[in-house]
Amino acid sequence: MKLTRASDYAIRGVVYMAMQSPGAIVVIPEVAREMDVPVGFLARIFQSLSRIGIVVSHRGKKGGYSLARKPEEITLCDVIEAVEGDIRINTCLNGYSECNRMSFCPVRRELAGVQEDLVKSLQKSNFAELAAREKAHRESRQA
Amino acid sequence: MKLTRASDYAIRGVVYMAMQSPGAIVVIPEVAREMDVPVGFLARIFQSLSRIGIVVSHRGKKGGYSLARKPEEITLCDVIEAVEGDIRINTCLNGYSECNRMSFCPVRRELAGVQEDLVKSLQKSNFAELAAREKAHRESRQA
DNA sequence: TTGTAAGATGATAATATTTGTCATGATTAA
DNA sequence: TTAATCATGACAAATATTATCATCTTACAA
């Protein structure tokens, strides 16, 4: 019942992207430094974010990453699922499972409800809010 | 963002306990067989449940386990936390963390909210309901 | 067209966690 | 005393996590 470090780093990375002006291209070492994340790992993680369409990669010199969507349209759920795959809080919620209790199991049905609640909770917040708060803190520090 | 097998097995085990008449003592191999769980692992898991006070262990001949509380007073959250420890969806929500963003991090605050939602969702359902549904299915099969 | 700065990809490895198993010991009822 | 049960600790296999690195591809700019 825990996020991976990768998800944590991904979220931080997207927060930083969301702080930039729209369309801005940012380079991984900058994101890593600013958000206190191991640079090599973050590079890997951004490739997942790119594959799923949360960021856009720009190859070559002057390359880097930009956001693929508006920060308001990216949720915690989107980023976590990009990194970890779809949220399935129990193996039996995977569609193709082998447990022979599948057809009737009340535990499975209950957990399905919990999973739904969790996903909803993760969809509540978007990265515009998170970026605004991060920005506010930085500006207060600067003053 | 996944339960361990141990949690799944624990939940199934407690469902079976909750199906028994109040105070009944049941033996691990029976629970394991009925709920389709590896017996050795389940034995281990019931010791966690016993330590935390969800079941009571009875040692010696005629021993086994009984429920420590009424099924209505046991939630999914109780059982999962007995097995996995307190739910902390990110390491920084552990109280003692080392991340230097701790003091202000908006990601941390957001995840704290998600964690709270998750715990609430897991506290919604109790084992009286689950046991009733499991029982209903078994009786329909028998007929 | 060449050099350089970026991302893309696959291999590899260290570590941690999960999922068990097993042997041994302690306890208790009969 | 014996048999059935839980308790505990050691161990181990499998899997997942958390990276790192080398090499390749791409694209801009001189």
Side-chain angles (χ1 to χ4, degrees):
Chain A
M1 235 38 199
K2 203 181 273 304
L3 293 175
T4 59
R5 305 302 303 136
S7 282
D8 183 0
Y9 296 160
I11 293 167
R12 290 197 225 170
V14 175
V15 167
Y16 190 78
M17 298 303 295
M19 290 169 62
Q20 313 307 314
S21 48
I25 292 178
V26 186
V27 110
I28 290 293
E30 175 184 341
V31 182
R33 173 172 30 85
E34 290 295 318
M35 300 308 279
D36 217 344
V37 165
V39 59
F41 200 10
L42 190 64
R44 240 16 219 298
I45 290 164
F46 263 64
Q47 285 160 20
S48 301
L49 295 174
S50 165
R51 248 177 274 119
I52 224 95
I54 291 175
V55 298
V56 179
S57 79
H58 306 268
R59 301 181 67 162
K61 201 167 180 176
K62 292 279 169 183
Y65 290 96
S66 58
L67 274 191
R69 308 182 233 154
K70 284 187 287 186
E72 307 86 49
E73 292 168 0
I74 308 174
T75 68
L76 281 181
C77 191
D78 296 331
V79 172
I80 291 167
E81 292 195 328
V83 170
E84 303 189 11
D86 284 357
I87 289 174
R88 306 287 182 218
I89 65 167
N90 203 20
T91 45
C92 61
L93 295 170
N94 228 315
Y96 68 102
S97 175
E98 59 309 315
C99 178
N100 52 26
R101 293 173 44 84
M102 275 284 283
S103 60
F104 68 90
C105 182
V107 175
R108 179 167 185 273
R109 251 184 293 166
E110 202 64 35
L111 290 178
V114 171
Q115 177 173 292
E116 210 176 303
D117 289 349
L118 174 61
V119 167
K120 268 182 201 149
S121 177
L122 288 170
Q123 284 171 340
K124 273 194 314 198
S125 47
N126 68 65
F127 278 84
E129 302 164 19
L130 290 170
R133 281 187 235 142
E134 179 85 20
K135 229 169 179 172
H137 171 261
R138 291 182 182 228
E139 278 157 11
S140 79
R141 292 280 304 172
Q142 202 175 16
Chain B
M1 235 38 198
K2 200 181 275 304
L3 292 175
T4 59
R5 306 302 302 137
S7 281
D8 183 0
Y9 296 160
I11 294 167
R12 291 198 226 170
V14 175
V15 167
Y16 190 77
M17 297 304 294
M19 290 169 63
Q20 312 308 312
S21 48
I25 293 177
V26 187
V27 109
I28 290 294
E30 175 184 341
V31 182
R33 172 172 31 82
E34 289 296 318
M35 300 307 281
D36 218 342
V37 165
V39 59
F41 199 11
L42 189 65
R44 234 27 215 297
I45 291 165
F46 262 64
Q47 286 159 21
S48 302
L49 296 175
S50 166
R51 248 178 273 120
I52 223 95
I54 291 174
V55 299
V56 178
S57 77
H58 305 269
R59 301 181 68 162
K61 203 165 179 179
K62 292 281 171 181
Y65 290 95
S66 59
L67 273 191
R69 308 183 233 153
K70 286 186 287 187
E72 307 86 48
E73 292 168 359
I74 308 174
T75 69
L76 281 182
C77 190
D78 296 331
V79 173
I80 291 167
E81 292 196 329
V83 170
E84 302 190 11
D86 283 358
I87 289 174
R88 305 286 181 220
I89 66 168
N90 202 21
T91 45
C92 62
L93 295 171
N94 228 316
Y96 67 103
S97 176
E98 58 311 314
C99 178
N100 52 27
R101 293 173 44 85
M102 275 284 284
S103 59
F104 67 91
C105 182
V107 176
R108 179 168 186 272
R109 251 184 293 166
E110 203 63 37
L111 290 178
V114 171
Q115 177 173 291
E116 211 176 304
D117 289 351
L118 173 61
V119 167
K120 268 182 201 147
S121 177
L122 287 170
Q123 284 171 339
K124 273 194 313 199
S125 47
N126 67 66
F127 279 83
E129 302 164 20
L130 290 169
R133 280 187 235 142
E134 179 85 21
K135 229 169 180 172
H137 171 261
R138 290 182 184 228
E139 278 157 12
S140 81
R141 291 282 302 175
Q142 199 175 18

